[in-house]
Amino acid sequence: MKQPLLAFNDKGIYCAQANVYLDPWRPVDNAIITHGHSDHSRWGHKQYITHHMNVPIIRHRLGEINVTGKDWGETFTINSVKFSFHPAGHIIGSAQVRVEYKGEVWVFTGDYKTEDDGISTPYEVVKCHTFITENTFGLPAFKWTPQAEVMTDVNNWWAQNRAEGKTSILFGYTLGKAQRLLKYLDTDIGKIYTHGAVENMTAVLRTMVDFPPTTLVTRETKKEDLLGSIVLAPPSAHGSTWIRKMTPFVTGSASGWMAFRGARRRRAIDKGFVLSDHCDWQGLLESIKATGAEKIICTHGYSDIFSTYLREQGYDARTEQTQYEGDEGETETRTPAEIAEEERGGEV
């Protein structure tokens, strides 16, 4: 039986011909990394290869690693296997990996979204024979509202809170979501403050994207200074001593999970905004069709449901288990350094 070009094992997605892994979850010698979220870029590999925009991101998170950066579409060959990175549109520096050997082409998406958020390099369709896709929001119930409408709602919410003399605390993942929110906050409404983890990651990304000015919340920050302002913070800050000293405040969260009834209540959030850095149901289906792939491998998310639907549509679709965690894992799977950084977020 012919060995597949990419195979799933206990360390990650493995290309035996090149002896290289894609987004491995256990330490390996050679790792090709799609993006900077901690469930996809983990510490401990001997050699990292990624898109050059992702280099400062993973160095910020992982320290002084041995990493090589590549351009979009730049082909690099390892033992006759051709690899290249193509925009995934998920977050800044996020890539799909194209793998070609003897005329056979596979594409691994990592995480991706098809809506152009204005800060990430927009998603690019890459033709292939086999397409490995995430399914974080692979249910028909997920249908995203355009980003511009969501950000209008966010700014209106902030303005209303300001009129009531309250601080707005908006939760978004430290890498990706926080910067997406920051880019479109209306600075005419008030001042933008940040938690330490968000501030430090945004500082890394300011070399690539023009963001509005922000002010770090420190121990010296008075709660009177925050009234009417907005504070960007990671979800892990919710319920902490750091946030309790900001009263009176109103909380909001931006996530695809806010599309679920009850998600806001379960998280004890005052206001939910449905804003995801992943494809919705239709985005997944359109992406798959555009690749021309006949074989589809479904990974994290609603993979069983989604792959069943694809088979009903005539695709050769199956699922594979990974240790990628999608939207939730982007904040919950944190390195010790990141946890310590969040704990240094300061107190008001």
Side-chain angles (χ1 to χ4, degrees), residues 10 25-26 39 42 300 321-325:
D10 62 350
W25 46 83
R26 290 184 180 173
D39 57 332
R42 305 194 184 216
H300 54 298
Q321 295 299 311
T322 68
Q323 292 188 20
Y324 312 134
E325 301 178 32

Side-chain angles (χ1 to χ4, degrees), residues 39-279:
D39 57 332
H40 288 259
S41 56
R42 305 194 184 216
W43 184 84
H45 311 312
K46 289 184 180 180
Q47 169 68 36
Y48 296 74
I49 304 174
T50 192
H51 187 265
H52 69 80
M53 293 175 70
N54 192 39
V55 170
I57 295 171
I58 61 175
R59 277 197 167 136
H60 172 75
R61 305 193 94 170
L62 303 178
E64 281 304 313
I65 55 174
N66 183 11
V67 58
T68 301
K70 302 290 184 180
D71 289 329
W72 298 125
E74 177 184 350
T75 299
F76 54 101
T77 303
I78 305 174
N79 198 23
S80 301
V81 182
K82 296 179 181 178
F83 297 91
S84 56
F85 291 110
H86 302 267
H90 175 55
I91 61 171
I92 294 171
S94 63
Q96 306 169 79
V97 182
R98 183 184 185 275
V99 185
E100 180 180 356
Y101 182 62
K102 292 184 177 180
E104 183 180 358
V105 179
W106 290 50
V107 168
F108 170 50
T109 65
D111 289 329
Y112 68 112
K113 73 171 180 292
T114 52
E115 182 180 26
D116 181 359
D117 61 18
I119 61 172
S120 310
T121 307
Y123 173 81
E124 174 187 312
V125 173
V126 183
K127 298 289 186 179
C128 58
H129 302 105
T130 302
F131 190 61
I132 304 174
T133 179
E134 59 136 313
N135 309 123
T136 304
F137 292 104
L139 289 179
F142 293 111
K143 179 177 173 56
W144 307 143
T145 300
Q147 173 179 279
E149 295 181 31
V150 176
M151 288 309 304
T152 295
D153 290 344
V154 169
N155 284 314
N156 289 340
W157 169 78
W158 176 18
Q160 180 62 39
N161 296 337
R162 180 178 177 84
E164 295 174 1
K166 298 176 181 177
T167 300
S168 301
I169 302 176
L170 184 57
F171 298 113
Y173 301 123
T174 302
L175 170 59
K177 189 66 62 65
Q179 292 77 33
R180 189 177 175 189
L181 293 166
L182 172 60
K183 178 66 176 178
Y184 301 104
L185 288 176
D186 185 355
T187 54
D188 289 340
I189 298 173
K191 196 171 181 178
I192 303 170
Y193 284 85
T194 52
H195 182 281
V198 172
E199 182 68 21
N200 292 341
M201 180 57 74
T202 302
V204 174
L205 300 176
R206 284 188 184 278
T207 61
M208 298 177 252
V209 178
D210 181 24
F211 292 112
T214 55
T215 301
L216 174 66
V217 175
T218 68
R219 295 178 186 275
E220 288 69 44
T221 305
K222 298 179 175 61
K223 69 178 181 180
E224 290 80 11
D225 299 334
L226 297 173
L227 294 177
S229 300
I230 194 166
V231 180
L232 288 175
S236 56
H238 188 35
S240 66
T241 303
W242 182 84
I243 191 176
R244 289 199 295 270
K245 295 185 178 181
M246 294 185 185
T247 55
F249 62 79
V250 181
T251 57
S253 179
S255 170
W257 297 115
M258 289 298 143
F260 270 149
R261 283 187 174 185
R264 177 175 57 83
R265 183 181 66 254
R266 287 192 299 274
R267 289 170 168 78
I269 298 293
D270 298 314
K271 178 71 173 179
F273 301 98
V274 181
L275 188 70
S276 176
D277 290 328
H278 299 259
C279 291

